[in-house]
């Protein structure tokens, strides 16, 4: 590294000049996120930060398949509890039950699954109780629809 400016190069490099001119034009004003803290700015340094962020942003799981299915099953029960109709509850639970049954047919890697298909009628009953309805049903498709 030299201590003096090499001959033929101005004090302001080409890149610095481009940045300065863009600032003068206002190219950096009103950018998305302006004035907000940097995302993950207080996180410890990790050389793979960009890869982990991309995986998280894309919704790619890093869990072994069996644990991912367990999480999906928990999420499905949560979604079923917020469903708007009995038909929707049955559709959600039947869909996750199909995945659980498929995992029994074709074992997945990872820790033991320790899941059994959910009792659809029991989940529907819990959904009704959560909505304050004991015996009333909404009109529409009946049991087994959407399977």
């Amino acid at each position: 590294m030299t201590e003096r400016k090499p001959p033929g190069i101005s004090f302001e490099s080409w890149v610095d000049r481009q940045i300065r001119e863009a600032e003068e034009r206002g190219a950096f004003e009103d950018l998305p996120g302006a004035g907000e803290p940097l995302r993950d700015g207080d996180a410890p340094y990790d050389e793979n930060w960009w890869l982990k962020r991309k995986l998280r942003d894309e919704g790619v799981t890093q869990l072994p398949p069996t644990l991912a299915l367990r999480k999906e099953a928990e999420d499905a029960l949560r979604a079923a509890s917020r469903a708007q109709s009995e038909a929707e509850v049955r559709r959600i639970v039947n869909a996750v039950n199909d995945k659980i049954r498929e995992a029994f047919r074709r074992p997945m890697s990872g820790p033991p699954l320790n899941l059994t298909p959910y009792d659809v009628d029991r989940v529907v009953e819990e959904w009704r109780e959560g909505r304050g309805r004991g015996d009333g049903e909404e009109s529409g498709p009946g049991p087994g629809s959407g399977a």
Side-chain angles (χ1 to χ4, degrees), residues 86 123-137:
E86 180 179 324
V123 175
V124 167
E125 185 60 34
E126 290 173 2
W127 172 80
R128 284 183 188 145
E129 290 171 4
R131 294 178 59 94
R133 297 183 316 170
D135 58 339
E137 293 183 13

Side-chain angles (χ1 to χ4, degrees), residues 37-50 52-53 56:
L38 292 175
R39 186 168 137 190
D40 300 330
D42 57 350
Y45 178 73
D46 179 0
E47 64 184 23
N48 293 321
W49 66 268
W50 61 273
K52 291 176 181 175
R53 179 185 290 177
R56 184 179 63 230

Side-chain angles (χ1 to χ4, degrees), residues 12-62:
E12 180 181 51
S13 73
W14 182 79
V15 172
D16 291 332
R17 189 180 81 233
Q18 296 293 317
I19 293 171
R20 181 184 50 76
E21 290 173 356
E23 281 180 325
E24 290 170 358
R25 286 192 312 271
F28 300 120
E29 295 175 10
D30 298 323
L31 291 175
E36 296 177 16
L38 292 175
R39 186 168 137 190
D40 300 330
D42 57 350
Y45 178 73
D46 179 0
E47 64 184 23
N48 293 321
W49 66 268
W50 61 273
L51 179 60
K52 291 176 181 175
R53 179 185 290 177
K54 181 68 173 169
L55 290 172
R56 184 179 63 230
D57 290 349
E58 296 295 323
V60 176
T61 182
Q62 298 175 20

Side-chain angles (χ1 to χ4, degrees), residues 83-138:
Q84 297 300 310
S85 68
E86 180 179 324
E88 186 180 356
V89 174
R90 291 181 182 280
R91 182 189 54 77
I92 292 168
V93 176
N94 284 326
V96 78
N97 279 348
D98 290 344
K99 291 181 180 184
I100 293 169
R101 287 185 194 99
E102 181 63 24
F104 287 136
R105 285 191 289 275
R106 297 178 193 214
M108 307 167 103
S109 62
L113 184 58
N114 295 335
L115 268 181
T116 57
Y118 295 111
D119 180 345
V120 178
D121 293 327
R122 192 187 101 247
V123 175
V124 167
E125 185 60 34
E126 290 173 2
W127 172 80
R128 284 183 188 145
E129 290 171 4
R131 294 178 59 94
R133 297 183 316 170
D135 58 339
E137 293 183 13
E138 290 188 16

